[in-house]
Amino acid sequence: MLERLPDELSSLRESAVVECKLAGGHDGKGRLPEDFWPTYSAFANTEGGIILLGIRERREGFELAGIENPAKVRSELFNNLNNRQKVSSNLLTDADVEEIDIAGKTLLAIRVPRASRQQRPVHLTTNPFGNTWRRLNDGDRALADEDIKRMLAEQVEDSRDTRILPNFGLRDLNADSLKAYRNIFRADKPDHPWLALDDQAFLQMLGGWREDRASGESGLTQAGLLMFGQWPAIAEALPLYFVDYQERPRDYAETVQWLDRLVPDGSWSGNLFDFYRRVVIKLTAEVKVPFVLQGDTRQDDTPTHKALREALVNALVHADYSGRVSVQVVKEPAGFTFRNPGALRISPSQALQGGISDCRNRTLQQMFLMIGLGERAGSGMSRIVHGWQALGHGLQLRESFDPQEYTVLEMSWSDELLQDGSPNSSVESSVESSVKTADKILGLLAEHSMLTLAELAKCLNLSVRAVEKQVARLKAQGRLRRIGPNKGGRWEVSGA
């Protein structure tokens, strides 16, 4: 953006990541404007951004004014950044402040990075309340005290779910939920020593029950109640807790009618473990499993199943259950949406790239891990990305801060798939277990060279015509050839 600035000044607009200020001072030679600081705080507490100093705003657009003494402004900037009476944290280095010469005039471009969880809230003066800002669209908005308190809690609490809940105990848990979890744990780890423990000891090993050595307090943790609790007890401890699954038709915007919905309504426990078990079945109900053999065993799990499971667990373990937005999972013809309260603890780009882990509810994450669900070490989101996008589908991760903080993961079916028909039709299964349908055809024929086109179509849940097109393309590419007649002949895969 900065490289193109001389050419784009006429079309320059302020946005969520760009702010322009004059910085002329009373004598016109240059001074750091006082309204620089709310923008600095706002960018730091959101996604970062660029502040351009030396630009005058006119009704018809922006005009280059320049700064006569940029060294003075730079010096004033860093003096104030390192003054804790002025601002709580200095996020900048010399490399973040760049002088740009345009038509003989000098601008200062200041890149403000996103502050880390441990640095937020970045606020003015020594008091965060009333002095903390966030960037929304093209403006700086003062944060409410409730949001600031949540930031302060995030700053010091590496995991938000280890808190012991006074006066809550085993009576507040759903016995069937805990029993079902233990059965899955036993099936996954049949020789594990924890299997011999009673429920309280088992919970303590999972982190659902904790003893505080310093205070001597012991009891059920927030993670234990969220994972295995009864709905009335969960609502008492966490009044804003709510989980919501919706299956929407194509015309939902006009009808506002659900095909299916699951919310805590007294007919089931309302806890996270049971929400996961019920919702994952609904998410994958129409995802067909293609005929794929590993040795002599058919593989019933696909990259799509894995990506949807991972996305659901990811939303549950990263949610801020003190937030005012519900956990919401939506299934619709275009794809899936996973929303959880709370902003990301790292930037969206870092989350998508993987390798950095900062889970908000680490005990819940460990509970899912112990039964083979979810990932640690920052690999969860990257596994979703690679598993889903490798199939040609779309994926977007974003944060929203207005009116409340929440994170949304959107997983959409590919345009090609939507053009061919409903993703839940037979077309969808043609891409479930490999990157391309062609690769699946080659894999099947490499192991079963006598399959006919009709048998291939049946294995892949495709039409015979669709298979014919793929086979013709593979033959033209030299990757597949027919040996012998149509009846009684066989297929030969190049390199097989």
Side-chain angles (χ1 to χ4, degrees), residues 48-77:
I50 297 175
I51 304 174
L52 296 171
L53 300 182
I55 295 181
R56 179 180 289 108
E57 184 174 4
R58 299 289 192 186
R59 180 177 299 178
E60 62 275 8
F62 290 99
E63 173 186 277
L64 179 63
I67 301 174
E68 185 174 326
N69 191 347
K72 174 188 174 185
V73 177
R74 180 191 286 264
S75 177
E76 184 182 355
L77 169 65

Side-chain angles (χ1 to χ4, degrees), residues 399-443:
E399 298 171 295
S400 181
F401 301 98
D402 187 23
Q404 302 293 333
E405 289 185 12
Y406 60 88
T407 303
V408 176
L409 175 66
E410 297 174 340
M411 300 171 65
S412 57
W413 297 114
S414 67
D415 292 339
E416 178 182 357
L417 196 58
L418 291 172
Q419 289 169 2
D420 287 344
S422 168
N424 297 325
S425 71
S426 61
V427 179
E428 189 271 343
S429 65
S430 70
V431 293
E432 291 305 328
S433 65
S434 67
V435 176
K436 296 178 181 178
T437 303
D439 293 334
K440 293 202 303 179
I441 290 175
L442 293 175

Side-chain angles (χ1 to χ4, degrees), residues 301-308 383 386-388 391 431-434:
D301 208 7
T302 72
T304 297
H305 288 83
K306 293 174 183 176
L308 292 174
R383 282 172 61 98
H386 296 145
W388 189 256
L391 296 168
V431 293
E432 291 305 328
S433 65
S434 67

Side-chain angles (χ1 to χ4, degrees), residues 161 163 165 168-174 203 207-209 220-238 241 269-273 364 367:
D161 61 357
R163 177 170 62 97
L165 302 173
F168 284 79
L170 297 180
R171 68 186 182 281
D172 296 303
L173 301 185
N174 183 281
L203 278 171
W209 187 280
L220 192 67
T221 65
Q222 181 171 304
L225 183 66
L226 283 169
M227 192 71 165
F228 304 116
Q230 298 274 22
W231 166 243
I234 299 174
E236 183 181 353
L238 297 161
Y241 170 91
S269 69
N271 62 48
L272 294 183
F273 178 61
L364 285 174
M367 288 176 173

Side-chain angles (χ1 to χ4, degrees), residues 153-169:
E154 292 273 347
Q155 183 185 89
V156 298
E157 294 177 355
D158 287 337
S159 182
R160 299 293 305 277
D161 61 357
T162 59
R163 177 170 62 97
I164 296 173
L165 302 173
N167 303 318
F168 284 79

Side-chain angles (χ1 to χ4, degrees), residues 245-252 255-262 282 286 331-333 424:
Y245 168 81
Q246 301 176 16
E247 185 171 345
R248 299 175 177 177
R250 195 176 304 277
D251 60 350
Y252 175 79
T255 64
V256 197
Q257 294 291 322
W258 302 287
L259 297 175
D260 188 14
R261 195 177 187 195
L262 176 70
K282 296 175 182 291
E286 291 84 22
K331 176 181 179 180
E332 50 194 341
N424 297 325

